[in-house]
């Protein structure tokens, strides 16, 4: 079991003259990386995600809730947004069979379906509530702050629907809150009403919380091997003990993207798994990279590479044209799966049609693998920087390892860029304007700022 990273195609030697990271730049990044590593280690107490893979008491309390729920529910409905939703979605897509929610109870090994409501589009919520039998549904309300407007609005609607269907007193048996141990509206409600609650440690932030109960509880409820997930993450955490980017895969990823961005103008960072189950992991990575690294520094300068999700081979017929011939402002990181070259035998048919005959005897796994290598080579030949992270197979261990790699890399990248990767001040102003318009108490200042903004100009409307 291993996760490896091959970054030959990021380096000058493999690319046309004048492109790529030079050995001098790579070696020159050793000292900044060691400092970034030390900065992350120095914050160890504040960065709870580092110890999630070995937090046994938290795992035990999560598994106890999953165990109690076993067999009682046909559906799990998760209410959450951002870091409280993207991780659970990525885990379901990666580690449950395709279209899990459409499978029969037997095919699901008697585990429930998992639905994630991560928006407040009324049509989605109405459709979901019309489809679910709430009498057989467990509702997870997931919010670190315990007060996020979208999640609270969902909660109020779903709680009302539960009360109508199963009765006010029974409704509580259908609710589990996943939230901060001390603060927030959810915690207050849980205390007042005795609703089952599992903690998100105070030092674990939203987008770094997939290996906390935020991801582990829904994963355990639908039968994902969460111990293997944590073991993979623990292995990557151990490999990240090294202060050398040559021995630390997360460090290597962070250094490469940082060098490519700051010294080679590669400001867009695509993540392109060649595996359908990892499609949503790319979306999870987008949030992690974007919300953590897109920042204004104290001196007023701005930083932040733009992450881009892609999927191989599908995007070979879409975004790869842009990656090859568009602006040379991107890196592409492939995720390749090594161990499936025998899967999906392609039958030999139409021997007389050369366009098809050559495929017979190959496999789909081999085709995907070859296409990934071909795309990587083609990009390199055109001076387009790319790296390949390889895993043996898409299972809980490797997914846990990959997720921890990206979380660690994000922390290192924050230190390399000289910003705080763990806050998100940029989302506050929009939130406060929305609160002001909704009449939330205490939003007078935001209301005044909103009212002072220029009004829509009739010259620019049609
Ligand atoms: O990464 C983050 O901190 C955010 O994206 C949050 O996850 C998101 O805003 C939801 O917050 P909460 O879990 O407090 O409801």
């Amino acid at each position: 079991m291993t996760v490896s990273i091959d970054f030959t195609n990021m380096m000058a030697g493999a690319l046309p003259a004048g492109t790529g990271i030079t050995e001098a730049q790579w070696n020159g990044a050793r000292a900044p990386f060691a400092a970034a590593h030390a900065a992350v280690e120095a914050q160890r107490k504040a960065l709870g995600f580092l110890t999630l893979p070995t937090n046994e008491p938290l795992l035990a309390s999560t598994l106890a809730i999953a165990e109690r729920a076993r067999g009682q529910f046909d559906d799990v409905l998760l209410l959450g947004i951002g870091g409280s939703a993207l991780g659970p979605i990525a885990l379901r897509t990666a580690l449950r069979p395709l279209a899990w929610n459409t499978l029969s109870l037997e095919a699901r090994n008697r585990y429930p379906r998992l639905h994630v409501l991560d928006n407040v589009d009324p049509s989605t919520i109405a459709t979901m509530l019309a489809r679910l039998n709430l009498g057989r549904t467990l509702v997870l309300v997931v919010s670190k702050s315990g007060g996020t407007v979208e999640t609270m609005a969902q909660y109020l609607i779903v709680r009302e629907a539960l009360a109508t269907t199963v009765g006010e007193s029974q409704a509580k048996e259908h609710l589990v809150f996943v939230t901060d141990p001390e603060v927030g509206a959810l915690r207050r409600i849980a205390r007042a009403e005795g609703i089952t609650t599992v903690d998100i440690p105070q030092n674990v932030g939203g987008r770094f919380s997939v290996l906390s109960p935020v991801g582990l509880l829904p994963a355990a409820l639908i039968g994902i091997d969460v111990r293997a997930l944590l073991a993979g993450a623990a292995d990557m955490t151990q490999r990240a003990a090294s202060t050398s980017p040559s021995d630390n895969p997360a460090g290597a990823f962070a250094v490469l993207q940082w060098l490519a961005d700051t010294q080679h103008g590669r400001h867009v960072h695509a993540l392109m798994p060649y595996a359908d189950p990892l499609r949503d992991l790319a979306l999870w990575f987008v949030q992690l990279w974007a919300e953590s690294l897109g920042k204004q520094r104290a001196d007023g300068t701005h930083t932040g590479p733009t992450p881009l999700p892609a999927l191989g081979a599908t995007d070979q017929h879409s975004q790869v044209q842009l990656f090859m011939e568009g602006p040379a402002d991107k890196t592409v990181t492939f995720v390749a799966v090594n161990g499936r070259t025998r899967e999906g035998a392609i039958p030999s048919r139409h021997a007389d049609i050369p366009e098809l005959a050559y495929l017979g005897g190959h496999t789909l796994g081999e085709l995907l693998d070859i296409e990934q290598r071909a795309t990587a080579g083609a990009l390199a030949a055109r001076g387009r920087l790319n790296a390949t992270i390889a895993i043996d197979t898409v299972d809980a261990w490797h997914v846990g390892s990959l997720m921890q790699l990206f979380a660690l890399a994000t922390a290192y990248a924050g230190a390399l860029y000289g910003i705080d990767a763990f806050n998100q001040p940029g989302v506050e102003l929009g939130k406060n304007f929305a609160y002001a318009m909704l009449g939330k108490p205490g939003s007078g200042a935001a209301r005044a700022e909103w009212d002072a903004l220029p009004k829509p100009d009739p010259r620019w409307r049609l």
Side-chain angles (χ1 to χ4, degrees):
M1 290 195 291
T2 186
V3 173
S4 63
I5 175 164
D6 180 341
F7 55 95
T8 309
N9 290 345
M10 297 289 285
M11 304 302 290
L15 301 166
T19 46
I21 296 165
T22 64
E23 266 191 75
Q25 287 171 333
W26 173 255
N27 288 327
R30 288 183 188 281
F33 177 68
H37 191 278
V40 170
E41 285 301 315
Q43 292 182 76
R44 189 162 259 279
K45 276 213 170 98
L47 302 184
F49 82 93
L50 294 170
T51 46
L52 286 175
T54 49
N55 190 333
E56 278 295 329
L58 194 60
L59 176 62
S61 59
T62 307
L63 290 178
I65 291 175
E67 198 44 49
R68 266 209 312 275
R70 182 87 170 118
Q72 291 194 52
F73 301 101
D74 299 329
D75 292 274
V76 173
L77 176 63
L78 189 155
L79 314 180
I81 197 164
S84 293
L86 287 158
I89 293 171
L91 292 178
R92 180 192 59 195
T93 309
L95 299 172
R96 295 289 72 188
L98 179 69
W100 173 253
N101 288 346
T102 66
L103 300 180
S104 69
L105 189 61
E106 282 63 41
R108 284 185 274 116
N109 205 9
R110 313 198 78 76
Y111 287 106
R113 293 174 280 259
L114 171 64
H115 315 272
V116 180
L117 281 182
D118 65 345
N119 205 348
V120 284
D121 188 314
S123 65
T124 310
I125 296 187
T127 307
M128 184 65 74
L129 288 178
R131 200 171 289 170
L132 290 175
N133 172 1
L134 288 178
R136 294 280 303 165
T137 299
L138 178 66
V139 179
L140 308 182
V141 189
V142 185
S143 174
K144 174 69 193 303
S145 61
T148 299
V149 60
E150 295 88 350
T151 309
M152 294 307 106
Q154 293 170 343
Y155 160 71
L156 291 169
I157 290 172
V158 173
R159 174 119 195 210
E160 192 76 5
L162 268 175
T164 309
T165 312
V166 302
E168 197 62 70
S169 62
Q170 241 342 79
K172 284 183 223 169
E173 307 305 317
H174 291 255
L175 285 167
V176 174
F177 292 171
V178 183
T179 193
D180 186 276
E182 299 292 337
V183 301
L186 281 183
R187 179 57 64 176
R188 283 211 302 282
I189 298 167
R191 280 197 190 114
E193 301 192 30
I195 290 170
T196 303
T197 305
V198 57
D199 295 348
I200 308 172
Q202 278 187 314
N203 58 3
V204 173
R207 55 194 173 275
F208 292 86
S209 67
V210 63
L211 300 177
S212 79
V214 169
L216 296 186
L217 180 58
L221 283 164
I222 59 172
I224 289 172
D225 183 352
V226 293
R227 285 195 180 278
L229 194 71
L230 294 176
D235 183 75
M236 186 53 69
T237 311
Q238 237 166 38
R239 293 175 75 184
S242 171
T243 58
S244 164
S246 302
D247 295 320
N248 176 338
F253 181 80
V255 164
L256 291 165
Q257 302 307 321
W258 172 66
L259 285 175
D261 179 19
T262 56
Q263 304 205 23
H264 295 268
R266 313 294 166 131
H267 309 306
V268 179
H269 297 169
L271 184 67
M272 187 168 181
Y274 269 66
D276 286 341
L278 300 181
R279 182 194 284 259
D280 289 330
L281 190 135
L283 295 178
W284 168 84
F285 165 77
V286 163
Q287 187 218 7
L288 191 61
W289 209 239
E291 201 169 7
S292 303
L293 303 180
K295 296 283 157 70
Q296 178 169 330
R297 295 192 186 92
D299 66 3
T301 57
H302 300 272
T303 186
T306 301
L308 191 67
L311 180 72
T314 308
D315 270 302
Q316 285 182 212
H317 301 266
S318 170
Q319 298 194 82
V320 167
Q321 169 62 34
L322 173 72
F323 299 168
M324 284 290 285
E325 294 190 348
D329 61 354
K330 301 173 194 63
T331 66
V332 181
T333 301
F334 300 104
V335 182
V337 183
N338 283 334
R340 57 174 179 201
T341 45
R342 285 148 129 54
E343 291 172 26
I346 303 175
S348 297
R349 249 182 197 269
H350 301 295
D352 53 329
I353 303 180
E355 295 94 312
L356 270 70
Y358 73 97
L359 283 170
H362 291 289
T363 68
L364 293 179
E366 197 188 354
L367 177 59
L368 262 185
D369 180 50
I370 286 173
E371 290 205 272
Q372 185 273 317
R373 288 189 285 128
T375 306
L379 287 169
R382 293 288 178 274
R384 305 304 164 114
L385 280 62
N386 66 89
T388 300
I389 297 175
I391 59 176
D392 301 326
T393 182
V394 181
D395 65 7
W397 191 95
H398 289 88
V399 168
S401 192
L402 264 185
M403 287 180 134
Q404 194 71 342
L405 184 160
F406 289 125
L408 283 157
T410 305
Y412 297 143
L416 289 166
Y417 281 106
I419 49 99
D420 181 350
F422 303 97
N423 63 5
Q424 50 281 327
V427 302
E428 291 308 319
L429 187 58
K431 263 194 215 174
N432 291 339
F433 283 164
Y435 289 148
M437 283 186 265
L438 287 164
K440 186 178 179 190
S443 44
R447 181 81 232 187
E449 194 177 347
W450 172 256
D451 287 340
L453 288 179
K455 298 288 162 289
D457 186 328
R459 286 173 306 160
W460 315 129
R461 298 180 75 170
L462 52 97

